[in-house]
Amino acid sequence: MKFTLIHTVAAAALLAAGGAYAQAAIPAAASDTTEVVVYGHGQSRQTETVKAQDITLSAPGTSPLKVINKLPGVNFQSADPFGAYEWSTYMTIRGFSQNQMGFTLDGVTLGDMSYGNYNGLHISRAIINEDVARTELAQGAGALETASSSNLGGALVFTSRDPSHDMGGELSGTLGQDSMHRLYGRFETGAIDALGGLRGYISLVDQKTDKWKGYGEQRAKQADTKWVLPTGDTGEITAFVNHSERREQDYQDLSLSMTDRLGRKFDNFQPDWALANQVAKAYQTSVIASALSGTSVAPVYPAPIETVDDAYYYGAGVRNDTLSAISTEQHLGDVVTFTGEIYHHDNKGQGLWTTPYLPSPGNADMAAFAPALYNPASTDDAYISIRTTEYKINRTGMTFGLKFDLGAHQVSAGGWYEDNNFNQARRFYGESLAATHRDSLGFQSDPFYTQWEYAFNTKTTNLYLQDVWSLTPAFKLNYGFKSLEVINRVHTVVGNSMEARLSSRDKFLPQLGAVYTLNRGNELFASYSENMDAYVSAATAGPFAAQSQSVVDYIKDHLKPESSKTIEGGWRFRMDRLQGVAALYHVDFKNRILAIQQGPAILGNTPVLSNVGSVQTNGLELAATYRMTPEWKLYAAYSYNDSKYKDDVVDATGAVLANTKNKTVVNSPKNMVKTELSYDNGGLFATLSANYLGPRYYTYTNVGGRVKASTVADLSAGYHFSQAKLDLQLNVTNLLDANYIGTIGEAGFVNSDPNNTAQTVMVGAPRRVFVTVRKSF
């Protein structure tokens, strides 16, 4: 499908006017209750909301992040059909990356949702997908009360389904390709009169699927429970506890040249343990030979392997999370409303990688070469060891707010505080040469070497004040500010000594917005906002990644937190058959942080985080839903985004390290088109979608690393047996079996890649088919 075709379809939906929608009215089409995408009428920011129906229509297990990929400005990619495999999930919005956005679930911060997160967890672990009621995206800036210290480029607010007032529940089962199965069950208590109207639900899910290529599984077990207790006529108390156990084996990171040389289905060596050791042995014996001879000895690998990094035996991620919260909303008379929430999150995780760079402690060749470092008596004698990055999160926080209804003025004030303890370690575990004896999807124990371990503490305080002033029935103005302070501390447990305290602070981050209602169906909106991205508290990212006291001391005196200023405005329209939005935006992103090599690495100089200039972004977003008949509906969105680096990257002396000025920001396609045609007559339903994604770069200089444009289509179809409360559903992802590059930059972006050899891309999943039976009672 060509871009021109999709563009034409999008334009037809966005610009359809006159006779088409001026015919007989279909009132339901103009009601938010019947639409999947809600366009944020009354908001001064560019926002859209996707409701639970869209998650239900997706293949069960699909991440809410993949579902919002239909919205304008969103570029979401992954290597699996569901968008849930965390190492591969990567999202950009208006040139900002996923770790520069804010994410919350029922008011609880999810951190920046990056892989190996230090201050939160991925939405696919935070809640069962079927329990999400709606997802609201603010592309430019989240609301002042959003609990986030990283929302430079907007915010995603997830809201869970409330318990039903009636007893009942839901059961569903899904089967599909790659031996995929998913079982979901939810029981609703209904309102229990004897307990003051308390109502709640418990839901469980078990999902397992083989990888679509290579060997290995991806599994998830989750349990959610949520309870609501009315407190008379004044409000209610809500509590939830969500638990997740996720086990994922990785797909191998590839380069563009590897996809040509080895094919789209090339992956890790598992279950061929002998081949993985053969490749590792070839590398290690060449290192030993080079050291003994004083000249470089090239390793000889079995065809078609050309480098030790072409593939590993396996990689994996294992995570256990428990997220809980209790909140209340109370109306204190007719004027004051109080909201408050206390939450807690426990996480234990390991990222596993079978490394050929460090053999197990009893390896015979290495014991002969370096007897002081290796123990030939150990039964762990493989040429491979298991390297882990290990995580523990223990964080507790609270939010509170007061809202005063003063007639023309709606004044609100509140805050957010979090105390987060994060422990991170790098350890190595032995394996035997004859056969593996460790669970590739289990938590590892008894390491033979701990390279480093650090304990971090992060305290976050955010206060806000805002007034929404209705100057006239047609004109509404909102203005306010937030004050954000994040204090990071680090303590060395094992490794290079690093005791430090850093702070990110901005006492005045303003927001200003306006909405003007032209008539019943049309409004104009505009907003201005400033935001700051706090430093990361981790040994693998942010200021502490160099694991050097001197580097941290340097950063403390020379680094500034990243910041952004966003201006946006537009028009929302709502007619009998057509509704949508058109928006323009401009973003100034300053103090961009990048790791810069300070002199030759061979001399022991460590890369140092530095501010490397700014980014300027201008763009356009269009989205519309056209209700052709009560049964037929067309949705389309078009985005144009021009994000450019405004400066070259230079070192401390001013020497140019990378010619990035006026280059396109990595992973920022200029053009995106999303289309969706839906049919639903109450029984039969179907949705056909197609997303066009323009070319992207994973190189800062745009030298090499250009990924071609792609178009991916999905199909959902089924039948509602309303009397039986039964649904049958078919989902086909990547309907046309497009061969495309999905994720880029998951292993980092690079300055240039003229030969396209950087292993930092992943192939998108091919066509996959799933069948679901869903029963309500």
Side-chain angles (χ1 to χ4, degrees):
M1 186 177 292
K2 301 293 186 182
F3 166 68
T4 52
L5 174 59
I6 300 179
H7 187 81
T8 301
V9 175
L14 295 170
L15 302 178
Y21 62 76
Q23 297 172 7
I26 304 176
S31 171
D32 287 345
T33 61
T34 64
E35 298 300 338
V36 173
V37 177
V38 181
Y39 291 101
H41 287 270
Q43 297 287 322
S44 62
R45 299 181 302 276
Q46 162 73 324
T47 65
E48 286 95 17
T49 300
V50 174
K51 299 196 294 186
Q53 178 186 347
D54 224 20
I55 294 179
T56 302
L57 290 174
S58 302
T62 296
S63 167
L65 293 182
K66 184 177 179 180
V67 174
I68 68 157
N69 192 46
K70 68 192 293 179
L71 298 180
V74 179
N75 163 30
F76 174 80
Q77 298 296 327
S78 68
D80 69 316
F82 310 101
Y85 163 48
E86 289 188 33
W87 174 249
S88 73
T89 59
Y90 204 92
M91 179 171 62
T92 62
I93 295 178
R94 294 183 177 180
F96 286 102
S97 62
Q98 186 167 308
N99 59 359
Q100 294 170 322
M101 297 186 61
F103 304 89
T104 65
L105 170 64
D106 290 346
V108 177
T109 179
L110 303 179
D112 64 11
M113 276 197 346
S114 57
Y115 187 83
N117 199 309
Y118 77 100
N119 66 347
L121 71 166
H122 200 274
I123 184 62
S124 294
R125 284 186 276 134
I127 187 172
I128 297 173
N129 301 341
E130 287 90 339
D131 292 337
V132 176
R134 61 185 182 275
T135 303
E136 178 183 299
L137 170 65
Q139 284 97 327
L144 286 171
E145 63 267 24
T146 301
S148 172
S149 59
S150 58
N151 60 330
L152 286 179
L156 269 171
V157 176
F158 302 97
T159 303
S160 65
R161 291 166 58 185
D162 271 342
S164 172
H165 290 270
D166 301 316
M167 181 181 291
E170 180 183 318
L171 292 172
S172 68
T174 302
L175 295 175
Q177 288 180 269
D178 306 314
S179 302
M180 184 271 188
H181 81 258
R182 179 180 176 90
L183 298 174
Y184 169 76
R186 174 178 169 123
F187 171 69
E188 303 268 9
T189 67
I192 306 173
D193 294 337
L195 297 176
L198 176 70
R199 64 188 193 277
Y201 68 76
I202 298 174
S203 58
L204 301 170
V205 74
D206 181 277
Q207 176 169 325
K208 184 173 73 172
T209 181
D210 292 341
K211 293 164 54 181
W212 66 264
K213 66 174 179 176
Y215 179 90
E217 295 178 341
Q218 295 182 337
R219 307 195 302 249
K221 294 183 178 181
Q222 293 176 264
D224 294 348
T225 184
K226 182 177 180 180
W227 298 82
V228 176
L229 177 65
T231 53
D233 297 328
T234 62
E236 61 185 22
I237 298 172
T238 302
F240 73 81
V241 179
N242 297 345
H243 179 74
S244 168
E245 297 179 6
R246 183 170 285 270
R247 308 288 186 265
E248 298 179 325
Q249 285 190 273
D250 291 326
Y251 295 93
Q252 173 67 19
D253 299 308
L254 303 176
S255 67
L256 293 178
S257 62
M258 286 176 67
T259 61
D260 294 333
R261 172 166 58 92
L262 299 169
R264 143 189 218 189
K265 292 189 176 181
F266 182 77
D267 200 47
N268 288 316
F269 294 130
Q270 194 180 26
D272 196 337
W273 180 240
L275 177 58
N277 276 275
Q278 183 182 356
V279 171
K281 180 179 180 179
Y283 169 77
Q284 291 161 22
T285 54
S286 74
V287 171
I288 294 173
S290 297
L292 293 176
S293 66
T295 60
S296 177
V297 178
V300 179
Y301 299 112
I305 304 302
E306 293 185 357
T307 76
V308 71
D309 294 309
D310 272 3
Y312 310 115
Y313 184 62
Y314 70 79
V318 294
R319 304 284 191 273
N320 286 351
D321 290 273
T322 301
L323 183 69
S324 56
I326 183 168
S327 62
T328 185
E329 178 177 337
Q330 298 295 326
H331 301 285
L332 309 178
D334 296 331
V335 175
V336 181
T337 299
F338 170 78
T339 58
E341 183 170 43
I342 298 174
Y343 64 87
H344 182 76
H345 173 214
D346 275 316
N347 163 267
K348 177 184 178 183
Q350 290 184 350
L352 287 67
W353 170 46
T354 52
T355 173
Y357 289 98
L358 185 65
S360 293
N363 182 263
D365 289 348
M366 294 304 293
F369 175 67
L373 300 177
Y374 286 82
N375 175 19
S378 172
T379 57
D380 285 335
D381 56 352
Y383 289 91
I384 292 169
S385 64
I386 298 175
R387 195 200 80 170
T388 64
T389 306
E390 304 186 7
Y391 318 90
K392 288 184 180 179
I393 298 175
N394 186 300
R395 62 188 180 104
T396 301
M398 62 172 291
T399 63
F400 65 92
L402 286 169
K403 184 175 181 180
F404 302 88
D405 185 351
L406 305 177
H409 292 271
Q410 303 290 313
V411 179
S412 58
W416 163 49
Y417 175 79
E418 182 178 272
D419 188 352
N420 175 26
N421 291 304
F422 174 62
N423 183 279
Q424 191 177 32
R426 172 67 48 75
R427 296 191 172 95
F428 294 82
Y429 299 82
E431 275 282 21
S432 60
L433 181 58
T436 60
H437 62 82
R438 292 183 177 273
D439 182 0
S440 60
L441 280 177
F443 283 95
Q444 306 302 310
S445 59
D446 299 323
F448 69 85
Y449 175 44
T450 297
Q451 184 179 8
W452 50 258
E453 181 178 1
Y454 294 97
F456 298 90
N457 177 262
T458 303
K459 289 183 170 62
T460 303
T461 304
N462 183 50
L463 301 174
Y464 69 89
L465 176 64
Q466 179 175 245
D467 178 27
V468 180
W469 181 14
S470 299
L471 287 83
T472 71
F475 184 49
K476 183 171 63 176
L477 185 69
N478 64 274
Y479 48 92
F481 72 96
K482 67 179 179 181
S483 175
L484 177 63
E485 180 180 61
V486 180
I487 298 174
N488 313 86
R489 291 184 173 88
V490 61
H491 169 71
T492 303
V493 180
V494 176
N496 295 331
S497 178
M498 189 169 57
E499 309 293 326
R501 178 186 184 275
L502 294 176
S503 63
S504 311
R505 181 185 298 110
D506 197 320
K507 296 296 185 182
F508 185 72
L509 293 167
Q511 284 192 13
L512 174 67
V515 180
Y516 182 71
T517 303
L518 298 171
N519 52 44
R520 189 170 63 95
N522 294 273
E523 67 180 24
L524 302 176
F525 65 94
S527 69
Y528 170 81
S529 63
E530 297 183 15
N531 277 293
M532 178 189 74
D533 188 3
Y535 297 136
V536 173
S537 282
T540 51
F544 305 110
Q547 300 177 23
S548 164
Q549 185 68 50
S550 61
V551 170
V552 173
D553 291 341
Y554 175 87
I555 287 174
K556 183 177 180 181
D557 296 330
H558 293 84
L559 201 67
K560 295 180 180 179
E562 296 177 332
S563 63
S564 66
K565 296 179 180 179
T566 300
I567 302 172
E568 60 182 0
W571 165 48
R572 295 189 188 99
F573 50 92
R574 177 154 42 186
M575 307 169 193
D576 288 338
R577 294 178 181 241
L578 180 70
Q579 58 176 317
V581 63
L584 295 169
Y585 60 87
H586 171 83
V587 182
D588 281 318
F589 169 30
K590 295 183 177 181
N591 302 320
R592 185 170 70 93
I593 293 177
L594 193 66
I596 303 299
Q597 185 71 45
Q598 303 298 309
I602 195 170
L603 299 180
N605 296 300
T606 307
V608 177
L609 286 186
S610 301
N611 293 119
V612 293
S614 60
V615 175
Q616 189 174 93
T617 298
N618 296 289
L620 163 72
E621 293 169 351
L622 305 172
T625 304
Y626 177 44
R627 177 75 69 167
M628 296 178 285
T629 71
E631 295 83 16
W632 287 95
K633 179 174 62 178
L634 178 65
Y635 166 84
Y638 169 72
S639 308
Y640 174 80
N641 179 85
D642 184 25
S643 292
K644 295 287 182 62
Y645 299 115
K646 302 305 293 179
D647 307 277
D648 288 327
V649 176
V650 298
D651 65 12
T653 68
V656 175
L657 300 178
N659 294 300
T660 55
K661 187 175 182 179
N662 294 325
K663 303 300 184 182
T664 297
V665 171
V666 293
N667 203 16
S668 295
K670 283 193 174 182
N671 293 285
M672 290 186 289
V673 182
K674 290 86 181 283
T675 60
E676 189 174 274
L677 179 65
S678 301
Y679 176 85
D680 191 340
N681 66 2
L684 180 66
F685 63 91
T687 297
L688 175 64
S689 64
N691 288 350
Y692 168 85
L693 182 68
R696 300 165 286 158
Y697 289 97
Y698 61 75
T699 56
Y700 294 112
T701 62
N702 300 167
V703 176
R706 184 179 186 272
V707 176
K708 296 178 182 179
S710 60
T711 300
V712 179
D714 293 331
L715 173 68
S716 173
Y719 197 87
H720 301 291
F721 297 91
S722 55
Q723 290 187 341
K725 296 184 178 181
L726 180 72
D727 291 349
L728 295 179
Q729 183 171 312
L730 170 73
N731 288 94
V732 185
T733 59
N734 194 0
L735 177 67
L736 303 180
D737 201 24
N739 185 356
Y740 71 103
I741 298 296
T743 308
I744 66 173
E746 79 284 351
F749 298 102
V750 297
N751 279 342
S752 66
D753 189 23
N755 298 317
N756 291 327
T757 57
Q759 283 186 243
T760 191
V761 305
M762 287 189 166
V763 176
R767 178 172 52 234
R768 285 298 180 261
V769 180
F770 309 96
V771 178
T772 301
V773 179
R774 186 180 301 109
K775 167 69 176 177
S776 300
F777 57 91

